[in-house]
Amino acid sequence: MYKLIKQENNARRGEFQTVHGTVQTPAFMNVATAAAIKGGVSAYDLKDIKCQVMLSNTYHLHLRPGDEVVHKMGGIRKFTGWDGPVLTDSGGFQVFSLAKLRNIKEEGVTFASHIDGHKIFMGPEESMRIQSNLGSTIAMAFDECMENPAEYNYAKNSCARTTRWLYRCKAEMDRLNALESTINPNQMLFGINQGSTYRDLRIEHMKQIAELDLDGYAIGGLAVGESTEEMYEIIEAVEPHMPKNKIRYLMGVGTPGNILEAVHRGVDLFDCVMPSRNARHGHAFTNEGCRNLLNAKYTLDDQPIDPECDCPVCRKHSRAYIHHLFKAGEMLAMRLTVLHNLYFYNNLMERIRKALDEGCFEAFYNTYSEKINKRI
Amino acid sequence: MYKLIKQENNARRGEFQTVHGTVQTPAFMNVATAAAIKGGVSAYDLKDIKCQVMLSNTYHLHLRPGDEVVHKMGGIRKFTGWDGPVLTDSGGFQVFSLAKLRNIKEEGVTFASHIDGHKIFMGPEESMRIQSNLGSTIAMAFDECMENPAEYNYAKNSCARTTRWLYRCKAEMDRLNALESTINPNQMLFGINQGSTYRDLRIEHMKQIAELDLDGYAIGGLAVGESTEEMYEIIEAVEPHMPKNKIRYLMGVGTPGNILEAVHRGVDLFDCVMPSRNARHGHAFTNEGCRNLLNAKYTLDDQPIDPECDCPVCRKHSRAYIHHLFKAGEMLAMRLTVLHNLYFYNNLMERIRKALDEGCFEAFYNTYSEKINKRI
């Protein structure tokens, strides 16, 4: 399903085929947590901003509207109107970051809903059943995402359990994909590498999960407390042990600079709430760095957010207008800035792919990696 | 500028020519209070939902971002990206409904901003200068909007003052339109009929303001406390005294049923926050009546909001999806429902015009006027 087209040092230009369309990689997935992109952006809007893959959250959709509802409505793609590939996470990250009073056992995790406190149990089988109900293109394995730093022995035991959970995920998905009521009988499964910041645990765990010959492999448990340098070191340590013929996904990362660094180290797929979350607070990404649109200096600035940007927002609206919308508390401020930021990310990936196609990624990387994280 | 094309009893089919485009009437103006339609809808979105005229609020824009800012940015049309006609209200209504501690004198009104409490003075000249800075197509005269019921003598004196203010508005606009820095030197002025619920005051006032031969005439001070029947009676009383060759605007009205009744009584132009405000609370207008999308019965309903509707939302999204978005607190819920409701209003006006063109408005009126206000 993953085809490596070209490689420049560790950076990979590839294609990832799915039943819902082919993804050109490296790619950034746009986050529609509760089946909508926060900031008033619809699945149809994603078409206009170069999105290739939509990502939705299993935990959120299980709680509301309920995965049974989404199943009855024909799955997440029909429900939202997004006709391209969708990746659903496993719920694991949210269970560990959002839910309250969680209790982890071998079977799975009991936790209290962050909405109304009611008790829920989720284990590998439950996560797979929910994701099968959602009918996503790609399901993620149910894992434990530890906060960094984690205690070595805890991390070791947790990794071992995550591996055992992965086997259960695989078995349950095989069973679900064979059922007649399954929306996407070709649903794919990605395994998730864990091991906190311990190189030996990371490498050992990666080797174990690679044995399952899954559809793709993710590096999870990063950007959760450790330094950026530690994150890059872990990617470098794990990467040689990731199958070359499988797509590689770095979960929840990150800034444009982080993404460039990770592509440079051999990663193909990304997701992050940063572009949409920052946008909702008035922070816009540009080719010159990050711009705070709430800044008074934009009051009379009739330039677009980014003069070099071709997004639907920069072609039509001025900084002064969007600045005013933020000051006036108009929702439109958020929508416009979210659209711009997501386009910026998706377009950055396109530029990365183009650089790889033309064999000049290293030059692109050297020029942009510093510039792109600047605040202006 | 107003051309009466066809008449069926009192109902009028017309065309209103402006420097920013011709408006087919009867028409509904879409409210962009602070230079944005609440619910994350942009001026460009208005193009997709059959909007002909955008309405913005002088009071809000004077406070934020300031009319001087909008003037420097090239006026409200350039600022928002809306290239059709724009009507700005005079600020009078908001001064009387939103502002605090107001003090009315012959010169004008001193009041405290509802945002930060700072003192502001606005009289006829100030209102005209602000609207000239905004560069709208149509400016509204500065008037006093009384709450109903009002005391007879108060209403009589207030009307007389509103007439004196109108003369001052006209003089100031003539002066402003001749200045070189004026964005729209062809800015038009509409007078506003007042007189609370007193027929004699209403008629007398209408006769007085008709003498000025303005570009259009509005009926103000309705839908502010009186019964619907009283409102219709006032329209019927005033209408024979409104110039036939001028466009007629009923301010701040109303439900689809109210609009039908007012067209039936000879009104051409409308505005109301109802479609967008109701939408933000989950109330959608349909051809069968009003639908509360928060209702649990829509959880699994895969039909569009209105199966008869051709709006961009009904062509793409289900009730179940929008119901979920409201429950999950997603902004997209509001955006989609606002788009639908505004389209519903704009499309209703198109149907009214079509019925008038075909000489069957009375039949349309009889069929729809009851049905259209129903809750389902």
Side-chain angles (χ1 to χ4, degrees):
Chain A
M1 318 241 180
Y2 175 79
K3 194 176 123 196
L4 180 61
I5 298 173
K6 208 168 174 182
Q7 192 158 349
E8 191 174 333
N9 299 326
N10 276 341
R12 292 147 48 102
R13 172 74 177 91
E15 256 181 23
F16 184 60
Q17 282 174 19
T18 81
V19 285
H20 302 137
T22 298
V23 184
Q24 301 297 328
T25 64
F28 179 79
M29 301 186 283
N30 292 200
V31 181
T33 304
I37 297 88
K38 294 204 181 297
V41 172
S42 79
Y44 295 90
D45 293 318
L46 291 184
K47 291 274 171 199
D48 301 331
I49 53 169
K50 301 192 181 181
C51 172
Q52 295 190 81
V53 185
M54 189 172 88
L55 185 151
S56 284
N57 291 101
T58 287
Y59 169 87
H60 289 87
L61 293 172
H62 176 57
L63 294 189
R64 197 166 47 195
D67 49 287
E68 294 287 353
V69 168
V70 178
H71 182 258
K72 281 183 185 140
M73 301 315 296
I76 186 76
R77 295 168 70 249
K78 185 149 182 268
F79 193 53
T80 60
W82 173 252
D83 63 3
V86 176
L87 183 142
T88 43
D89 67 358
S90 66
F93 182 76
Q94 279 75 25
V95 165
F96 295 100
S97 65
L98 282 181
K100 289 164 191 168
L101 303 165
R102 62 174 186 270
N103 180 14
I104 314 172
K105 289 187 182 164
E106 185 62 25
E107 305 92 285
V109 189
T110 307
F111 59 94
S113 152
H114 76 292
I115 299 173
D116 61 8
H118 85 275
K119 266 200 180 170
I120 301 168
F121 174 78
M122 196 186 287
E125 290 79 10
E126 287 72 19
S127 174
M128 290 300 110
R129 282 173 215 152
I130 297 168
Q131 293 184 75
S132 181
N133 274 339
L134 298 175
S136 58
T137 318
I138 304 153
M140 296 302 298
F142 188 72
D143 62 336
E144 180 183 356
C145 180
M146 294 166 280
E147 213 174 311
N148 291 329
E151 202 266 316
Y152 184 84
N153 275 330
Y154 185 90
K156 189 175 177 178
N157 291 331
S158 168
C159 273
R161 184 168 51 211
T162 287
T163 307
R164 292 191 297 275
W165 283 358
L166 178 59
Y167 277 85
R168 285 165 55 190
C169 285
K170 179 83 173 76
E172 181 65 6
M173 168 164 291
D174 289 345
R175 187 184 75 80
L176 292 164
N177 279 355
L179 295 180
E180 214 167 292
S181 61
T182 295
I183 290 176
N184 177 16
N186 299 299
Q187 195 171 39
M188 296 191 279
L189 178 64
F190 284 11
I192 305 176
N193 172 249
Q194 292 287 354
S196 184
T197 49
Y198 303 105
R199 296 170 63 98
D200 60 332
L201 295 184
R202 284 279 178 182
I203 291 168
E204 177 57 26
H205 188 246
M206 189 62 239
K207 285 180 181 170
Q208 285 173 10
I209 65 176
E211 283 172 23
L212 273 92
D213 193 34
L214 299 170
D215 299 299
Y217 287 94
I219 305 177
L222 289 181
V224 285
E226 81 289 356
S227 71
T228 309
E229 277 318 309
E230 277 180 295
M231 175 172 84
Y232 296 150
E233 282 167 23
I234 292 298
I235 299 169
E236 284 168 21
V238 171
E239 189 273 335
H241 307 281
M242 300 183 92
K244 302 277 175 240
N245 60 339
K246 296 293 167 75
I247 193 165
R248 298 149 170 198
Y249 163 28
L250 179 59
M251 300 181 80
V253 174
T255 65
N258 295 153
I259 288 176
L260 261 179
E261 294 292 344
V263 167
H264 176 68
R265 287 165 173 80
V267 177
D268 307 309
L269 202 55
F270 301 87
D271 81 287
C272 192
V273 295
M274 185 179 277
S276 50
R277 181 176 292 164
N278 283 15
R280 298 201 304 280
H281 293 98
H283 299 275
F285 290 97
T286 80
N287 286 307
E288 293 159 338
C290 192
R291 210 177 275 292
N292 181 355
L293 294 170
L294 285 147
N295 199 310
K297 71 180 172 187
Y298 298 122
T299 307
L300 291 170
D301 189 336
D302 66 358
Q303 291 180 88
I305 294 175
D306 185 347
E308 288 176 44
C309 177
D310 286 324
C311 85
V313 178
C314 287
R315 287 198 309 262
K316 292 172 179 167
H317 300 287
S318 65
R319 293 171 190 166
Y321 182 54
I322 301 171
H323 170 80
H324 159 65
L325 296 177
F326 271 112
K327 287 287 181 181
E330 288 289 338
M331 277 185 205
L332 185 58
M334 297 194 190
R335 174 173 154 85
L336 297 180
T337 314
V338 168
L339 284 170
H340 166 81
N341 273 4
L342 289 178
Y343 180 94
F344 180 85
Y345 267 66
N346 296 329
N347 193 52
L348 171 65
M349 303 317 287
E350 192 177 271
R351 291 162 74 196
I352 289 173
R353 292 195 298 272
K354 192 163 174 280
L356 282 163
D357 283 336
E358 295 169 356
C360 57
F361 174 74
E362 286 304 313
F364 180 84
Y365 164 77
N366 288 324
T367 314
Y368 285 91
S369 57
E370 199 175 333
K371 183 173 163 184
I372 226 157
N373 283 325
K374 217 171 48 178
R375 285 201 175 271
I376 48 175
Chain B
M1 317 238 181
Y2 175 80
K3 194 175 122 199
L4 180 61
I5 298 172
K6 209 168 175 181
Q7 192 158 350
E8 190 174 334
N9 299 325
N10 276 340
R12 293 147 49 101
R13 172 72 177 91
E15 257 181 21
F16 184 59
Q17 282 174 18
T18 81
V19 284
H20 302 136
T22 298
V23 184
Q24 301 297 327
T25 64
F28 179 78
M29 301 186 283
N30 293 200
V31 181
T33 305
I37 297 90
K38 293 202 181 298
V41 172
S42 79
Y44 295 90
D45 293 318
L46 292 183
K47 292 273 170 199
D48 300 330
I49 53 169
K50 301 191 181 184
C51 172
Q52 294 190 80
V53 186
M54 189 173 87
L55 185 151
S56 283
N57 291 102
T58 287
Y59 169 86
H60 289 87
L61 292 172
H62 175 59
L63 295 189
R64 198 168 44 197
D67 49 286
E68 294 286 354
V69 168
V70 178
H71 182 257
K72 281 183 186 143
M73 300 315 296
I76 185 76
R77 295 168 71 250
K78 184 148 182 268
F79 193 53
T80 59
W82 173 253
D83 63 2
V86 176
L87 183 141
T88 44
D89 67 358
S90 67
F93 182 76
Q94 278 75 25
V95 166
F96 295 100
S97 65
L98 281 183
K100 289 166 191 168
L101 303 165
R102 60 175 189 270
N103 179 15
I104 313 172
K105 289 187 180 163
E106 185 61 27
E107 305 92 285
V109 189
T110 307
F111 59 94
S113 152
H114 76 292
I115 299 173
D116 60 9
H118 85 275
K119 266 199 180 172
I120 302 169
F121 173 79
M122 198 186 287
E125 291 78 11
E126 287 73 19
S127 174
M128 290 300 111
R129 282 173 215 153
I130 296 168
Q131 293 184 75
S132 180
N133 274 339
L134 298 176
S136 59
T137 318
I138 304 153
M140 296 302 297
F142 188 72
D143 61 336
E144 180 182 358
C145 179
M146 295 165 279
E147 212 173 313
N148 293 328
E151 202 268 316
Y152 184 85
N153 276 329
Y154 185 89
K156 189 175 176 177
N157 291 332
S158 168
C159 273
R161 184 169 51 211
T162 287
T163 307
R164 293 191 297 275
W165 282 358
L166 179 59
Y167 277 85
R168 285 166 56 190
C169 284
K170 179 84 174 79
E172 182 65 6
M173 169 165 288
D174 289 344
R175 187 184 76 78
L176 291 164
N177 278 356
L179 296 179
E180 212 166 295
S181 61
T182 295
I183 290 175
N184 177 15
N186 299 301
Q187 195 172 39
M188 296 192 279
L189 178 65
F190 284 11
I192 305 176
N193 173 247
Q194 290 289 354
S196 185
T197 50
Y198 303 106
R199 294 170 62 98
D200 60 333
L201 296 183
R202 283 280 179 182
I203 292 168
E204 177 57 27
H205 188 244
M206 189 63 239
K207 287 180 181 169
Q208 285 174 9
I209 65 176
E211 284 172 21
L212 273 94
D213 193 34
L214 299 170
D215 300 298
Y217 287 94
I219 306 178
L222 289 182
V224 286
E226 82 289 355
S227 72
T228 309
E229 277 318 308
E230 278 180 295
M231 175 171 83
Y232 296 149
E233 283 167 22
I234 292 298
I235 299 170
E236 284 168 22
V238 171
E239 188 274 335
H241 306 281
M242 300 184 92
K244 302 276 175 241
N245 60 340
K246 295 293 166 74
I247 193 165
R248 297 147 170 202
Y249 163 29
L250 179 59
M251 300 181 81
V253 175
T255 65
N258 294 154
I259 289 175
L260 261 179
E261 293 291 345
V263 167
H264 176 69
R265 287 165 173 81
V267 177
D268 308 308
L269 202 54
F270 301 88
D271 82 286
C272 192
V273 295
M274 184 178 278
S276 49
R277 182 176 292 165
N278 283 15
R280 297 200 304 280
H281 293 98
H283 298 274
F285 291 97
T286 80
N287 287 306
E288 293 159 338
C290 192
R291 210 178 274 293
N292 181 354
L293 294 170
L294 285 147
N295 198 308
K297 71 179 172 188
Y298 298 122
T299 307
L300 291 171
D301 189 337
D302 66 359
Q303 291 180 87
I305 294 175
D306 185 347
E308 290 177 42
C309 177
D310 286 323
C311 84
V313 178
C314 286
R315 288 198 309 264
K316 293 173 180 167
H317 300 286
S318 66
R319 293 171 191 166
Y321 182 55
I322 302 172
H323 169 80
H324 159 64
L325 296 177
F326 271 112
K327 288 287 182 180
E330 287 290 338
M331 277 186 203
L332 186 58
M334 297 195 189
R335 173 172 155 86
L336 297 180
T337 314
V338 168
L339 285 170
H340 167 80
N341 273 4
L342 289 178
Y343 180 94
F344 180 86
Y345 267 65
N346 296 330
N347 193 53
L348 172 66
M349 304 316 288
E350 191 176 271
R351 291 162 74 194
I352 289 172
R353 292 195 298 272
K354 193 163 174 280
L356 282 163
D357 283 336
E358 294 170 356
C360 57
F361 174 73
E362 286 305 312
F364 180 85
Y365 165 77
N366 288 324
T367 314
Y368 285 91
S369 57
E370 199 175 332
K371 181 173 161 183
I372 226 156
N373 283 325
K374 219 172 46 179
R375 284 200 175 271
I376 49 174

